[in-house]
Amino acid sequence: MKNNVPSYAKYLFFLLLWVAVTFCIKSTKEPDIWWQVRTGEYVIENGTIPKVDVFSYSYEGEKWINVKWLTEVFMAGISKLLGPELIFLLQALVLIGIFFIFKRIRRLLDPKGDPYSFAFLAACTLFLFTISFRINGRPEMMSHLLTAIFLYIYLDYLKQPSRLIWFIVPLQLLWANLHEAYGVGIVITGLFFITYLIEKIRTSGPYNKLNELVGVFVLSILATTVNPNGLELLLHPINIFQQLKMNTFTTELSNVMEKEYWNLFSILNILIFFVGLWKLYQLFTQRKNKGFKLNYLLLFYPVLFLAFFYLSLRANRNISFFQIIAFPIVFLFFRQLKISFVKGTGAYLALTVILLLMYVSIPTNLYYKTLDSLNQYGISLPTDRNPYSAAKFIQQYDLKGKCFSDCFSSSYLLWHLQPDFKTFLDLRDLDVFEEAFIRNNLMVYKKPETIISGKNIPLWEEFRSYDNFSYTVNLNAEDFMPLNRYLHKNEDFELVYADELNSIFVNKTLQENQKVIQEKGFTTIGEAVFQPLKTKETPVLGQLFNYIFWPFYSEPQANLDFEPFKQIYFNSLNQ
C-alpha cells in the first residue's frame, strides 16, 4: 500500500471501464437510430450530404440542416460491417475515451496524487451512474466526448499555457459536422476568453497570451462554417435553442418546470450541483491551495459550472453535459473529505462492492427494471420494440405507394425498406417538419374523427385529401389505437396484418392492394390476421459480446403463446 492506496486500486479503474461497456451492451430500442443510420448510408452511397429532405414525401425538397451527418456516416459504417445492433460499440469507445480524459484532468488537479486514488475512482463511478440513462448510442455521445476534451484543454492552458490550445480550432470544425450541440464548444471557448481577460484586468497581469486566445476564439467561430451548410451554422444554435421551447413532443427535452424532467438522475444532478457549489465556496474562501493555480480556476470554472447547470435545467438530456463539467469539482470534493473511512482501505472495498453490484444489476436487468427503463441487457434487435415483423410483411406482399405510419415506426421502416420507402412523418421533428404538422399527426393518432373547423370533415379525411395513402402502419399502443379503430370501421380500409406491436391497413380503393386483401384481409381470414412476432437473429459478434460481459447470458425467448395478446388486441380494436 502506498499513500493509503491499495495495490489493487488500478484494477478498480478497469472494473469501472468494464461496467461502463456493460452499460453499452443493450438491445436496440432507440427509434432515432434508424433514420440516422439511413442518413449515413445515403451519404456513403451518393457521395453527397443532403441539404433538403430526401426521406419523406410530405416535406420532400424542403430545407434540412443535418449537422450530425459525419457521426451518422460512422454509425452507417458499423451497421454495414457488423450490423446495426453493434452501433453501441461506438458508444463504448466514447465512454472509455471520456474516462481517460478524466484521468488527465485528475493529473492537472492533483499532480502528486495517486492516479487511482479513491477520489478519482469515486468521482468516475458517480459520473457513470448519473449519466447512465443517456447511454443510448446516439450522435450526442460525440458532443459529450468533445465537451470533456475542451474542458481538459482549457484547464491545462490555465495551469501552463501551451500550443495544445490550438487543437480547439480543428476540434470545433469536427464538432460542427458531428452533432448539433457544436454550439457548446463555442460557449466554452467564449467563456474562457472572457473570464481570462477579466482575470488579467483584475490582477493587472501580462497580456502576452491575449492575441493567441483571440485567434483561437475567432478561428473557432469561423471553423463552424466549414460544413455542408456553410455560414448558416453560425446562427443555427439559436434555432436549436428556439426548438427547445417549441418542441413539446419529446420528453427528453422537458425542462425543470415540467414533471417529465424529474427522475432519479435529475434529482442526483441537483444534489451534485449543490455539492459542487459548496466546494467552490470553499475554494473561494481558502487562502492556500495544493497543486493548482486556483486564482485562474476560480473565475473560469465557476462560470462554466453555473452555465452548464443552467443548461441541464433547460432539458433533461443536457444533464450529461453538466456532469462532465462537474467532474473536476466532484473529484476535489472527494479528495478533501476528512472522514477517516475514506483515508483507509475501507473506502476502496466499499467502492469495489458498489461497482460489482452495479455490474451484476445490468446483465440481470435488475438495474433497468428498478428504474422502469425499457432497455435490457444484450446486443439484439427486439422485434417487440421495432416493426421488423411489419416490415417483413410489407416486403412479402410488395406493398407500394404512399404509407401513412406513426412517427416511431416510420424511422425503422425508412431503414429496412430502403431505398423506395418514404415517410409521412418521422423523428427528425422540427429539423424538417413544421410544428402544426406534427401536432396534427399527434392528434390524428388519438382523435382521427375530430371535425376540421370550416371544412366539416374528420381530421383523417383531411390528411387523405392531401395524400391518398396506399397503406398505413401504426403502433398498437394506447395512444395510437384510436386511429386503428377508426380505420377498422372505415369502409375504404382493410386490416391485413397485426402483431403485438403494429397494425397494417391497406386502401381498398386501390387496385394494387386487391391481392393482399383477398389473401390476408380481415374479411377473408378474420382474426388470423394477427400473427406472432418474427425474431431477428443477433450477429455472431454481438452474441460474443453478450457472453463475454455476462457468461450467464441467455437469448430472450420468443413468446409462443400470443393468444392473450391477440384477444387484448381485438377487444381494443372493437371498442
Side-chain angles (χ1 to χ4, degrees), residues 75 92 100 121 124 191 220-221 226 228 289 293 303 316 319 335 372 393 400 406 470 507 520 524:
M75 294 168 69
F100 275 95
L121 295 171
C124 286
L191 289 177
S220 293
I221 295 174
V226 184
N289 172 65
K293 297 180 179 179
V303 172
N316 183 273
I319 288 175
R335 177 176 174 265
D372 197 26
F393 180 89
K400 299 292 186 181
D406 67 81
S470 176
N507 190 333
K520 291 293 182 179
T524 303

Side-chain angles (χ1 to χ4, degrees), residues 59-76:
Y59 276 70
E60 188 171 9
E62 293 294 322
K63 187 176 180 179
W64 176 27
I65 296 179
N66 181 27
V67 181
K68 48 185 172 281
W69 67 271
L70 186 53
T71 304
E72 290 163 347
V73 167
F74 293 148
M75 294 168 69

Side-chain angles (χ1 to χ4, degrees), residues 24 40 114 117 146 159 162 211 214 383 481 506 525 548:
C24 300
D114 192 278
S117 66
L146 285 163
K159 190 167 187 181
S162 70
N211 289 340
V214 170
T383 56
M481 277 306 289
V506 297
I525 63 174
I548 287 175

Side-chain angles (χ1 to χ4, degrees), residues 211-260:
N211 289 340
E212 184 174 55
L213 295 180
V214 170
V216 170
F217 185 35
V218 172
L219 289 176
S220 293
I221 295 174
L222 293 177
T224 63
T225 66
V226 184
N227 68 86
N229 297 285
L231 295 173
E232 289 187 82
L233 250 63
L234 289 176
L235 299 178
H236 191 57
I238 298 174
N239 296 332
I240 294 172
F241 196 74
Q242 290 174 340
Q243 283 187 20
L244 291 178
K245 298 179 181 179
M246 297 169 58
N247 194 338
T248 58
F249 324 116
T250 310
T251 55
E252 68 184 35
L253 296 179
S254 301
N255 62 54
V256 71
M257 302 304 293
E258 299 171 309
K259 66 179 182 179
E260 292 82 4

